[in-house]
Amino acid sequence: ADADADAFEAAYNFRFESGPAAIATHARATPGSLRRTDDRRRAKREARRERKAADRRRKENELKRLRGLAAKEAAAVGVEAEAAAPGGFRYRAVPAADYGLSTDEILRTPDADLNRLVSVKRLAPYRDREFQVTADRRKRWRRDQAAREEARVAEKEAAKRRRKRARRKAARADAL
């Protein structure tokens, strides 16, 4: 009886030291099993991915369509028909003016930057003469615009580097 008790105690005390061969493992998928495979989560992920891709394509197409419409409006030459708004205010018919800018420049440039070239104050209907943008002013504006665009790109790249550095720092902290 003492030998049986000693054998049990030794087996119990050293049960974790017998090595990895003693750990029972079970296959995740057993071939020939009658158990049904559960693909619901995978199917949901794929459906979500396809739905997002379709939404992205739809948004891109809508954006292309809107850009095309805006380009047509900006390039259109002529006089808009007078229209009466509520309150009796009448819009004044104005000839289209591009101030020497291409349609692409007008569409890609933020409003604040366009206002630097032609301020809304300059377009007041009570002014005697029409505002003209000189070639020199347009040249200066394009040069400044290029510098602003470079600054925007540099800021985006700096922000990207900061985010990357923060991710690396967080990964190092997690590793410790």
Side-chain angles (χ1 to χ4, degrees):
D2 282 339
D4 289 339
D6 288 340
F8 174 78
E9 186 177 349
Y12 185 80
N13 288 340
F14 296 107
R15 67 186 182 276
F16 298 116
E17 298 178 17
S18 58
I23 297 174
T25 60
H26 303 283
R28 186 170 185 90
T30 55
S33 172
L34 296 176
R35 186 175 183 180
R36 280 184 268 150
T37 57
D38 189 7
D39 290 340
R40 288 179 293 188
R41 290 177 65 191
R42 183 185 317 154
K44 281 183 183 178
R45 275 195 313 268
E46 289 173 1
R48 182 172 183 254
R49 192 176 302 128
E50 289 171 7
R51 189 174 60 247
K52 285 193 173 272
D55 283 348
R56 193 176 310 114
R57 283 191 302 270
R58 184 181 47 77
K59 286 179 183 177
E60 286 174 0
N61 289 337
E62 180 66 14
L63 192 59
K64 284 180 186 175
R65 187 183 70 79
L66 290 175
R67 282 187 181 147
L69 287 175
K72 286 179 186 175
E73 285 181 23
V77 178
V79 179
E80 294 181 9
E82 288 185 5
F89 177 81
R90 287 195 166 279
Y91 285 99
R92 182 175 168 194
V94 179
D98 59 10
Y99 298 100
L101 299 178
S102 69
T103 303
D104 191 48
E105 282 178 313
I106 293 171
L107 293 176
R108 290 184 187 275
T109 307
D111 287 346
D113 292 346
L114 288 173
N115 284 335
R116 285 189 181 101
L117 179 66
V118 181
S119 172
V120 175
K121 288 189 275 184
R122 306 264 189 199
L123 304 177
Y126 51 82
R127 294 208 180 252
D128 293 335
R129 60 184 181 85
E130 185 178 329
F131 178 70
Q132 298 289 325
V133 178
T134 63
D136 186 48
R137 180 181 174 96
R138 203 168 27 250
K139 185 177 175 182
R140 264 195 328 268
W141 180 83
R142 283 187 175 124
R143 186 185 61 233
D144 295 345
Q145 185 64 20
R148 281 190 289 277
E149 186 60 31
E150 285 180 23
R152 281 188 202 110
V153 169
E155 177 55 35
K156 281 184 182 179
E157 290 174 0
K160 189 176 179 181
R161 284 193 301 273
R162 286 191 298 268
R163 286 191 305 271
K164 189 174 181 179
R165 198 175 308 127
R167 280 195 305 269
R168 256 192 259 128
K169 187 176 180 180
R172 278 191 297 242
D174 289 346
L176 296 178

